[in-house]
Amino acid sequence: MKPNTLTLIAAAAAIAAPGMLWALSEADTDGDGLVDVAELQAVFPDLTETQFEKMDLNADGGLDADEIAAAQLAGQLPSNES
């Protein structure tokens, strides 16, 4: 990952921390620290696999806290439950 991308992710994590914690605790049903597409679709049923893949910056099949924060900052995920 490029240094600029890491900087953006770190900034996004700082800005979106409260919402990020909600997204992880709400969606990570197996408690592994990552949210896979099925877990995220359980919370957001209209989410497509293509949308998920755009959020999965390292293409590992799961969103970590930094990827969730970046997705929230980009408007791809809501930053809280409302």
Side-chain angles (χ1 to χ4, degrees):
M1 202 175 290
K2 295 180 180 180
N4 289 343
T5 303
L6 293 175
T7 301
L8 175 62
I9 291 171
I15 292 168
M20 173 182 59
L21 295 176
W22 163 80
L24 278 175
S25 64
E26 182 74 17
D28 183 18
T29 57
D30 64 7
D32 67 354
L34 297 174
V35 178
D36 64 33
V37 67
E39 289 172 323
L40 201 56
Q41 285 174 330
V43 178
F44 302 107
D46 294 333
L47 182 85
T48 67
E49 287 192 35
T50 300
Q51 290 169 316
F52 181 87
E53 289 169 0
K54 289 179 182 176
M55 292 182 263
D56 186 9
L57 300 175
N58 63 2
D60 67 351
L63 303 182
D64 61 23
D66 291 339
E67 289 169 318
I68 289 172
Q72 289 171 326
L73 185 65
Q76 296 168 312
L77 285 176
S79 60
N80 59 40
E81 287 189 76
S82 54

